């Protein structure tokens, strides 16, 4: 009779779970170490590299999955004598099923996110607050007032339209400089951005 309580016919050795523990610790530790290296590289790029961020997330995901699989396999002998005993002989099959479902859900979520990026989707509340703060500060420094800001993510680029009101005539050069100033600030905070400044109808006019 083996460790799981089943009679085995023939010369079959009892399953040794020690290698599973060592393998789980080694592989999970390696995954989290890679995640640390990728995060450090991502920070050094100014948090702008999507490739580094993706690699960091994938390493963390692999480490968590490894720990989960190892814990499930190691807990199998402890199911004996409990209400979970009927599952002891099919633990590996259940584990594979759970991992497959997790992977499928992850791929579906990534697909939905990718389609949303292609179609364009509204920015999240934290991104909206960050953009509005940058726009308000830049416009105030130029002597204007922000009327409204519209934000949309198109692919990996943020498109922002700022409706601005000035109490004086504004030249095209000033408008272009204001766009460039806002874009530079947003690039540092949120990544690639494109900003359009629209002068409000209450503006007193334009000058060449």
């Amino acid at each position: 009779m083996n460790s799981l309580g089943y009679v085995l016919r023939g010369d079959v050795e009892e399953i040794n779970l020690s290698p599973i523990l060592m393998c789980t610790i080694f592989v999970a530790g390696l995954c989290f170490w890679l995640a640390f290296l990728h995060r450090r590289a991502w920070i050094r790029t100014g948090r702008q590299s999507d490739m580094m961020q993706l690699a960091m997330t994938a390493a963390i995901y692999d480490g968590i999955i490894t720990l989960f699989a190892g814990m499930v396999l190691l807990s199998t002998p402890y199911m004996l004598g409990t209400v979970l005993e009927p599952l002891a002989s099919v633990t590996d099959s259940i584990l594979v099923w759970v991992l497959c479902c997790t992977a499928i859900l992850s791929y579906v979520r990534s697909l939905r996110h990718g389609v949303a990026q292609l179609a364009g989707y509204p920015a999240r509340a934290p991104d909206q607050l960050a953009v509005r703060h940058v726009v308000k500060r830049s416009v105030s420094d130029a002597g204007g007032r922000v009327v409204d800001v519209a934000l949309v993510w198109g692919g990996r680029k943020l498109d922002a339209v700022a409706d601005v009101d000035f109490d004086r005539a504004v030249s095209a050069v000033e408008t272009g400089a204001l766009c460039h100033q806002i874009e530079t600030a947003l690039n540092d905070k949120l990544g690639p951005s494109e900003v359009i400044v629209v002068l409000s109808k209450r503006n007193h006019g334009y000058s060449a």
Side-chain angles (χ1 to χ4, degrees):
M1 181 175 294
N2 66 352
S3 59
L4 297 182
Y6 296 98
V7 177
L8 300 176
R9 298 182 181 276
D11 187 12
V12 179
E13 295 184 0
E14 183 177 353
I15 298 177
N16 184 9
L17 298 179
S18 298
I20 297 178
L21 176 61
M22 292 185 293
C23 182
T24 299
I25 295 176
F26 175 76
V27 175
L30 181 60
C31 290
F32 291 132
W33 173 247
L34 288 175
F36 169 75
L37 294 180
H38 290 314
R39 175 175 173 77
R40 186 171 62 178
W42 176 60
I43 294 176
R44 287 181 176 178
T45 62
R47 302 175 186 266
Q48 299 297 319
S49 175
D50 292 330
M51 186 63 68
M52 287 292 98
Q53 187 177 21
L54 177 62
M56 177 187 66
T57 303
I60 295 175
Y61 176 82
D62 291 340
I64 293 175
I65 291 297
T66 300
L67 285 177
F68 173 74
M71 290 174 59
V72 171
L73 293 176
L74 291 172
S75 65
T76 301
Y78 299 98
M79 295 181 181
L80 301 178
T82 68
V83 294
L84 299 177
E85 184 172 357
L87 301 178
S89 60
V90 291
T91 302
D92 53 345
S93 300
I94 296 176
L95 177 61
V96 172
W97 182 81
V98 172
L99 293 180
C100 288
C101 290
T102 302
I104 291 174
L105 292 176
S106 176
Y107 294 146
V108 171
R109 184 178 60 182
S110 298
L111 177 61
R112 290 179 58 186
H113 182 68
V115 173
Q117 283 186 332
L118 292 176
Y121 61 99
R124 301 173 303 169
D127 294 339
Q128 292 183 10
L129 291 176
V131 171
R132 290 178 185 274
H133 177 72
V134 171
V135 172
K136 183 178 180 180
R137 182 177 56 188
S138 300
V139 172
S140 297
D141 292 343
R145 181 176 65 87
V146 177
V147 177
D148 194 12
V149 179
L151 305 174
V152 174
W153 279 103
R156 298 185 180 277
K157 179 172 64 67
L158 177 66
D159 295 323
V161 178
D163 187 7
V164 179
D165 182 23
F166 285 91
D167 292 330
R168 58 180 177 82
V170 180
S171 68
V173 175
E174 289 180 282
T175 305
L178 182 59
C179 288
H180 179 72
Q181 179 182 354
I182 297 174
E183 285 181 358
T184 301
L186 292 181
N187 287 337
D188 295 336
K189 285 181 172 294
L190 301 175
S193 305
E194 183 175 351
V195 178
I196 298 177
V197 173
V198 178
L199 298 179
S200 171
K201 294 180 181 179
R202 285 167 287 191
N203 184 53
H204 292 278
Y206 302 87
S207 63

